[in-house]
Amino acid sequence: MKFIELLRTAFQSLKTNRKRSFLTIIGIMIGIAAVITILGMGDGVKKTMYDKFGNSKQGQQTTEIGYSSVDMGSTVHGFTEEDIANIRTEFGSEFKDVKIEHDSLINSKMTIGDEEKSVSINLEKKPEKSINLIAGREITKQDLQMKEPVAMIKESLAKKEFGTAQNAVGTSISSNETTYRIIGVYGGGSKYDQYGTKGTDVVVPYKLYYDGQNANEGDVIKLTFPQDAPASKVSKKIAKYLEKNGSAMNKGTYTYYDMEKELKAFSSQINMITGFISLIAAISLFIAGIGVMNMMYISVSERTQEIGIRLAVGATPTNIMLQFLIEAMVLTVTGGLIGFVLGAGLSHLLAPLLSLGGGIKIKAHVTLNAFLLAFGVSSAVGLIFGILPARQAANNNLIDILR
């Protein structure tokens, strides 16, 4: 029999027992979906971290040196244009570029009412969609582009300082000689609640906050090196130089973080976790494989007469074995493909629920390798657990069947 004919016969046989086939497919589907969901989320976390902290371009390396102030509410920054100029003078031949990096989430002091308070500030680059607006309006795209001095504050802060959320709208707060007009108040459940343990207190435009003097100051510098340069060694030298010569050396500490080393360790931990959970999920695949074998044994015993007729009209034992083996593989591959689609969908739904702090948004990352894994594993399950029932069908003796 030709392969196409065997495939068509397999589908017809499975359609005859739709409920039994469907229940068998579900077992494979659940196992594959669980594995793909875990892999998609794990790969998504790793990709997000590498995109944010790793080397973004091929052919170069990037490192960062951070500054931590002794006073958490201090407005003094660790790096100025003077520090950048000094670094270029002392180490300019050892790297390609150095620049001040600006965070989107900072802790700083703002004047609210008549008092200066330490608050967490989210610097908005684009309008946020997930906002639980209590009063006023949101910061718009036009506000951001035009650097309008507007702000939104958290409901708890508004009630504490102004009595009610509505009273806060229209008042002003100030920071770094810039006065912001409060245009809105947001409550719990907003996207800003994911930043830090208590959420963000104030939201202001990113471009406006880092305009003027603030654009030339910061607490992190980013160094870019050629691919073959000793980036870690040079970065440590620069950090030690800043400890003795930095503009804020007496008010905090300068620290070099080997992000590549940290990312590799983090990636290794994620791989161990996803591998362990995937191993647990694989147990369900083994159980589903037993279900496939059981179904095929029942099918062989129920179709003894069909097997005898096929042998009588010229089918070879190999044809019989291939027919039942294909039936098993059709079941498992179908379950595997459905499971892949389900797992990919679940990973994209669940990944955003993960929070790494600092406003880092996690997105699932389902790769071609994940698809090949789903297809390959489901095919292997059909082949392994279908071979014994298929051989039993092929070993049926025509004389014994006729008796």
Side-chain angles (χ1 to χ4, degrees):
M1 297 175 71
K2 295 182 179 179
F3 178 78
I4 298 299
E5 181 64 22
L6 288 171
L7 191 62
R8 186 179 64 82
T9 304
F11 273 108
Q12 288 179 342
S13 299
L14 294 175
K15 285 173 65 178
T16 303
N17 296 289
R18 293 184 180 181
K19 289 184 179 180
R20 186 192 299 169
S21 300
F22 177 71
L23 292 173
T24 305
I25 286 173
I26 286 180
I28 301 295
M29 180 185 71
I30 292 174
I32 294 294
V35 173
I36 297 302
T37 300
I38 297 302
L39 290 178
M41 293 173 66
D43 288 343
V45 171
K46 289 190 293 183
K47 185 176 186 302
T48 300
M49 296 300 290
Y50 270 98
D51 287 346
K52 186 170 180 64
F53 301 110
N55 297 330
S56 58
K57 296 181 180 179
Q58 291 184 350
Q60 69 179 34
Q61 303 176 71
T62 58
T63 64
E64 290 183 354
I65 297 176
Y67 170 80
S68 300
S69 175
V70 175
D71 181 3
M72 295 300 292
S74 174
T75 57
V76 175
H77 294 290
F79 301 98
T80 64
E81 285 299 313
E82 182 180 354
D83 291 313
I84 299 300
N86 291 338
I87 291 172
R88 290 185 189 277
T89 301
E90 293 291 328
F91 306 96
S93 61
E94 300 183 66
F95 57 80
K96 292 175 64 175
D97 189 31
V98 58
K99 62 180 181 180
I100 295 175
E101 287 281 290
H102 292 125
D103 291 333
S104 295
L105 182 66
I106 61 172
N107 292 311
S108 185
K109 289 185 177 180
M110 296 193 83
T111 302
I112 305 175
D114 297 327
E115 298 182 20
E116 190 175 56
K117 297 182 177 293
S118 296
V119 294
S120 57
I121 307 173
N122 182 71
L123 305 175
E124 193 87 314
K125 292 183 179 180
K126 61 181 180 179
E128 183 59 64
K129 297 178 181 179
S130 304
I131 298 178
N132 178 19
L133 194 65
I134 303 299
R137 67 174 181 86
E138 304 169 5
I139 295 176
T140 65
K141 186 177 181 180
Q142 184 176 359
D143 291 330
L144 299 175
Q145 291 176 342
M146 299 300 292
K147 300 181 183 178
E148 292 289 340
V150 294
M152 295 178 64
I153 67 173
K154 194 173 183 179
E155 183 183 17
S156 58
L157 180 62
K159 288 182 176 180
K160 181 180 179 180
E161 299 297 330
F162 303 101
T164 66
Q166 193 62 50
N167 288 343
V169 178
T171 59
S172 62
I173 55 178
S174 60
S175 175
N176 297 322
E177 300 182 355
T178 300
T179 300
Y180 300 89
R181 177 170 48 89
I182 298 176
I183 60 170
V185 177
Y186 57 90
S190 298
K191 198 73 174 179
Y192 306 121
D193 284 346
Q194 296 182 10
Y195 306 151
T197 57
K198 297 182 180 179
T200 303
D201 296 315
V202 180
V203 182
V204 298
Y206 180 94
K207 288 184 178 180
L208 176 62
Y209 187 87
Y210 284 126
D211 198 13
Q213 181 65 26
N214 280 340
N216 302 319
E217 297 179 348
D219 292 328
V220 178
I221 59 171
K222 188 174 185 177
L223 295 150
T224 305
F225 297 84
Q227 187 64 46
D228 56 349
S232 179
K233 182 179 179 181
V234 175
S235 297
K236 288 178 181 178
K237 284 168 53 179
I238 294 174
K240 288 183 179 180
Y241 168 80
L242 289 167
E243 287 175 2
K244 298 179 180 179
N245 302 281
S247 59
M249 60 181 180
N250 295 322
K251 298 178 181 179
T253 57
Y254 294 91
T255 308
Y256 161 63
Y257 298 97
D258 191 341
M259 290 307 300
E260 286 299 313
K261 182 179 180 180
E262 295 294 330
L263 285 172
K264 287 178 180 178
F266 177 79
S267 179
S268 177
Q269 291 176 349
I270 292 295
N271 287 338
M272 288 178 62
I273 294 171
T274 54
F276 177 72
I277 298 176
S278 296
L279 181 62
I280 295 174
I283 296 174
S284 68
L285 282 175
F286 178 79
I287 296 172
I290 298 296
V292 171
M293 181 183 288
N294 182 56
M295 176 186 168
M296 295 310 300
Y297 270 124
I298 293 172
S299 181
V300 169
S301 64
E302 290 179 346
R303 293 158 61 187
T304 303
Q305 187 176 6
E306 175 191 332
I307 295 170
I309 293 172
R310 290 188 179 280
L311 290 171
V313 297
T316 65
T318 300
N319 294 145
I320 300 298
M321 185 176 72
L322 284 176
Q323 178 186 341
F324 282 91
L325 192 58
I326 289 172
E327 286 183 24
M329 293 188 67
V330 166
L331 280 173
T332 57
V333 171
T334 301
L337 295 179
I338 296 174
F340 172 79
V341 174
L342 180 62
L346 283 174
S347 64
H348 280 90
L349 285 173
L350 297 176
L353 300 179
L354 298 175
S355 176
L356 297 180
I360 300 176
K361 299 179 180 179
I362 305 298
K363 293 183 179 180
H365 184 60
V366 182
T367 64
L368 176 62
N369 288 338
F371 172 79
L372 295 176
L373 176 67
F375 182 80
V377 169
S378 57
S379 298
V381 169
L383 182 63
I384 294 170
F385 290 93
I387 189 70
L388 291 178
R391 288 184 63 183
Q392 178 177 307
N395 290 335
N396 275 320
N397 188 284
L398 179 59
I399 301 301
D400 292 335
I401 294 174
L402 291 176
R403 287 177 182 173

